[in-house]
């Protein structure tokens, strides 16, 4: 009897291991399409192709064997108004499961009203959800030389919107980058390739749960 009991334990061990791997893989079992709607910070401005955070995200997904397709619809110079205009066609064409909205920096750099940017972001969240997609918002800060009051209101807008529409937020995509001049191109606006792994590190913890969601 003891022999049979031990034999059963030995035979069940490989099955248990397979079940563990199967459970881990099932968290990402349903293939997903991720649409990234961003500006130059996501469009690899001034970088070699494949060096930006979106390309690094694709590599990360492949390395972790997560079945997801990335559509990078980012355009340099894009504002929240432009993204709001372009999004419906992108939703219809790609039918994404997740929409990452990385917009607002150009609104801020141009000193556009914070309320207008908020309205555009809110509209994009609704557009994406009406199309059946989950949304991740990506926040941005303005340098203090744009005026402390404006910079504070601009940054706070992302957090308030995230809470109001109940959408996850990566609070500041340039966290750990913005304060380091050596991580920027000569224009002091666009990060070098060396900064993009940090940017991905700021976004990934907020994107990963959406990839796991059924």
């Amino acid at each position: 009897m003891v022999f049979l009991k031990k034999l059963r334990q030995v035979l069940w061990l490989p099955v248990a291991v397979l079940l563990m791997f199967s459970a881990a893989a099932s968290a990402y079992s349903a293939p997903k399409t991720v649409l990234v709607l961003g500006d130059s910070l996501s469009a690899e401005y001034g970088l070699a192709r494949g060096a930006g955070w979106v390309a690094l995200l694709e590599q990360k997904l492949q390395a972790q064997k997560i079945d997801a397709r990335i559509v990078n619809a980012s355009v340099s110079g894009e504002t929240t108004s432009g993204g709001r205009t372009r999004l419906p066609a992108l939703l219809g064409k790609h039918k994404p499961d997740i929409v990452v909205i990385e917009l607002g920096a150009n609104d801020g750099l141009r000193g556009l009203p914070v309320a207008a940017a908020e309205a555009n972001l809110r509209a994009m969240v609704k557009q994406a959800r009406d199309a059946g997609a989950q949304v991740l918002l990506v926040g941005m800060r303005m340098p203090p030389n744009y005026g402390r009051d404006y910079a504070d209101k601009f940054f706070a807008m992302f957090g308030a919107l995230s809470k109001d529409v109940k959408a996850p937020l990566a609070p500041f995509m340039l966290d750990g980058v913005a304060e380091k001049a050596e991580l920027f191109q000569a224009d002091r606006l666009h990060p070098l390739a060396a900064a993009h792994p940090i940017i991905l590190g700021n976004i990934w913890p907020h994107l990963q749960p959406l990839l796991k969601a059924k």
Side-chain angles (χ1 to χ4, degrees), residues 70-153:
I70 306 297
V71 177
N72 192 354
S74 302
V75 175
S76 293
E78 187 71 289
T79 60
T80 57
S81 177
R84 180 178 180 175
T85 299
R86 288 198 300 126
L87 184 54
L90 292 168
L91 293 170
K93 179 178 179 180
H94 300 290
K95 297 177 172 50
D97 301 282
I98 301 168
V99 177
V100 179
I101 302 177
E102 181 277 295
L103 288 172
N106 288 307
D107 298 60
L109 291 174
R110 298 175 189 182
L112 300 178
V114 173
E118 188 271 343
N120 289 328
L121 290 169
R122 184 182 294 273
M124 284 184 274
V125 171
K126 185 177 187 304
Q127 289 170 349
R129 285 179 170 169
D130 286 348
Q134 300 179 86
V135 176
L136 172 63
L137 295 169
V138 179
M140 178 55 61
R141 286 183 184 272
M142 287 294 103
N145 59 312
Y146 279 76
R148 175 61 64 183
D149 183 62
Y150 181 84
D152 288 348
K153 287 180 179 176

